[in-house]
Each structure stands twice: as structure tokens, then as C-alpha cells.
Amino acid sequence: MKKTVLIAVLALVLGVSSASAQGGKTSGAAYQHKAGAAATQKANAASLKKGEPRLNATTTTTNVYNVSATDKRGTTDYGVMEQTVTNAQGSTTTNAVLYDEYTPSKAARVNERNMEVSVAGGVSYTFNKDDRKDRYAKNGFGANMNMLWNMTPNFAMGLDYMMLHPGTKSHNKDGQARNYKDFYLHSIALGGRYTLNAWDNWRVYLPMGWGMMQARMKTTTDAGDRSSKDKWGTGFYAGLGLQYDISTDLFAGLEYRYTYAFISDKHLSDFGRNNDLQFHSLFLRLGMRF
């Protein structure tokens, strides 16, 4: 009996101790969990505060590295354009573009024109003489008009009309008077022009042409003899000109021409020497391009 009671008392004591120990272990774990959560929350808050993002605008930086080259044809600007873009998050992107820009010179713009029309006026003279070695003429008037197609910057071709009207003379030798009047030369030719320096605004060129020509002259004598004769033939002209480009469309210049007509002066008067007609002319020219 006493032994049974002692066992029961021991069992009760052990049960209470075990329950007490179990309850203490549970409370310690809950405390540790609570403390750990608080520390993590505090660390996260500090980290968030320290790395808090700021509002930044996107920035763009552009750098241009270029070279400019100029010649008679114009100016060329070429190089690299580099652009760097930085966004609000700090990310940077760089792009580069190769470029070139061409600005033509005035001479280059002139050479782009295909058609031109010009008129000219000036003085004309001939050295031809009659059978008594008297000259037919003195300084007179000359006119010209042409229309040319610029096939290349250096060469043009088209139609050319020219009229030469040297002033006439009268001679009285040994009582024999000869009066030369209305001396004309008309020419319709296939004309050309070669420009030596096509990339300048002051241009030196060579005019040339070949075509049909007509010469006419009237003569009278003291005896009352009168004649009016004309003759057709072929001929050519060649010369030297200086031209200035006023603008892309307008130009002006001076031009010398030597004209040779395969027309003998014996066909124009009764006093001819059987020499072909030759003329020297100086023109002031004004023209327009299209």
C-alpha cells in the first residue's frame, strides 16, 4: 500500500516537471522568432532608405567629328556624329552615324545647265584689197546670236548666226574713183565652243564653227558704172573668248573671231584680186542659261 502511494506521488511529480519544462521551451522559441522578424524588418527599412531611387531626367550628349574639304566643284562636309543617351535608371547607350553633305560651287551649278542662248555685238574689219591694193573697208559693225547645247562641262554645240558689216571706203587714184558700198557677210553655221577651265567662274574658251556664208557688195565709179553682186560659199570661224558667270543663269564676256569665207572678192566687184574674204571681229556677249 505504501509502495503504491509512493509510485503515484513520483509519477505526479514527474508529470508536473515535464509539463513545466515543455511549456518553457515553447515560450523561448516564440520569443526568438519575434526578435528575428523585428531585426529583419529594421534591416530592410534601413536598406530601402539607403537605396531609395531618385527621379532623374533622360540626358542626351551629341559629339560631331567632321572634316570639311573644298575644291572647285564645291564643299564636302563629312565625318561621324556620336550620340550618347543616359536614362533615369543610369543606363547609357551610344550610337554613331557616318554622314556627308555636299554644297556645290557656283561653277558646279552653272555646269548643271544644259542650254544657253546668247547675243553679241561689236566691231568688224577686213584686210581685203582690190586690184589697186586699196582696202574695201574700215571698221564696221558685227552681230551674232547663237544657241548651244552643253554636252559636257567643257564642250557645247549648236547653231550660230553671224552678220558682219564692215564700213566701206571710197578711193580716187589717177582720176579713177571707186566707191565701195553695202559690204555684208551673213553666216549660218554649226557652232561649237570648248571651255578650257570649266570649273572657274572666269572662263576662257575657244569658239569655232563651219557653215554656209553669203557675201554682198555694191560698187560705183565716176563714170556711173554700178554693180551689186553677191556670192554664196562655205566658211569657218575660230577665236578666243573670256566669259564671266554673273550668276548661275547669266553670263557676259568678250570674244574675238577670225572668219574665213571661201568666197573670192572677184565675185563681188569688177576690181577684185581673186582673194578669199577674211574678217576680224570683236564682240561683247551677253547670255542666259536654262
Side-chain angles (χ1 to χ4, degrees), residues 13 34 62 105-106 140 166 168 170 192 202 206 219 270 272 277 282 285:
V13 171
K34 183 176 180 181
T62 302
S105 65
K106 185 167 71 172
T168 53
S170 297
W202 281 100
L206 304 174
T219 60
D270 296 329
L277 297 175
L282 183 64
R285 183 173 300 281

Side-chain angles (χ1 to χ4, degrees), residues 108-259:
R109 295 195 301 271
V110 166
N111 292 336
E112 292 177 351
R113 300 295 191 268
N114 294 324
M115 179 71 69
E116 67 177 59
V117 176
S118 66
V119 294
V123 295
S124 180
Y125 185 77
T126 179
F127 288 98
N128 282 78
K129 299 178 181 180
D130 63 14
D131 57 2
R132 295 192 305 190
K133 297 184 179 181
D134 293 324
R135 289 178 178 168
Y136 300 139
K138 55 186 178 182
N139 290 338
F141 175 76
N144 171 251
M145 179 177 68
N146 62 30
M147 180 172 61
L148 301 178
W149 177 264
N150 294 297
M151 304 175 69
T152 70
N154 292 91
F155 183 72
M157 180 176 289
L159 294 176
D160 183 278
Y161 167 74
M162 178 170 53
M163 185 275 292
L164 303 179
H165 181 39
T168 53
K169 284 187 173 183
S170 297
H171 300 280
N172 192 333
K173 181 185 292 186
D174 299 330
Q176 296 180 3
R178 296 177 180 179
N179 302 312
Y180 300 99
K181 300 179 179 179
D182 295 332
F183 187 20
Y184 283 94
L185 178 81
H186 297 274
S187 167
I188 300 177
L190 177 64
R193 182 195 64 215
Y194 183 80
T195 303
L196 301 179
N197 53 335
W199 296 100
D200 290 330
N201 296 123
W202 281 100
R203 304 188 179 207
V204 179
Y205 65 93
L206 304 174
M208 64 202 80
W210 181 284
M212 295 299 300
M213 297 185 179
Q214 181 210 28
R216 186 183 67 187
M217 182 187 291
K218 294 181 180 180
T219 60
T220 61
T221 66
D222 283 348
D225 297 328
R226 297 182 180 182
S227 69
S228 178
K229 298 182 179 181
D230 66 87
K231 181 68 175 179
W232 282 88
T234 61
F236 69 89
Y237 67 86
L240 180 67
L242 176 65
Q243 175 182 294
Y244 176 69
D245 297 322
I246 301 173
S247 68
T248 302
D249 301 321
L250 297 176
F251 63 90
L254 290 173
E255 180 178 310
Y256 163 76
R257 284 191 182 188
Y258 168 74
T259 304

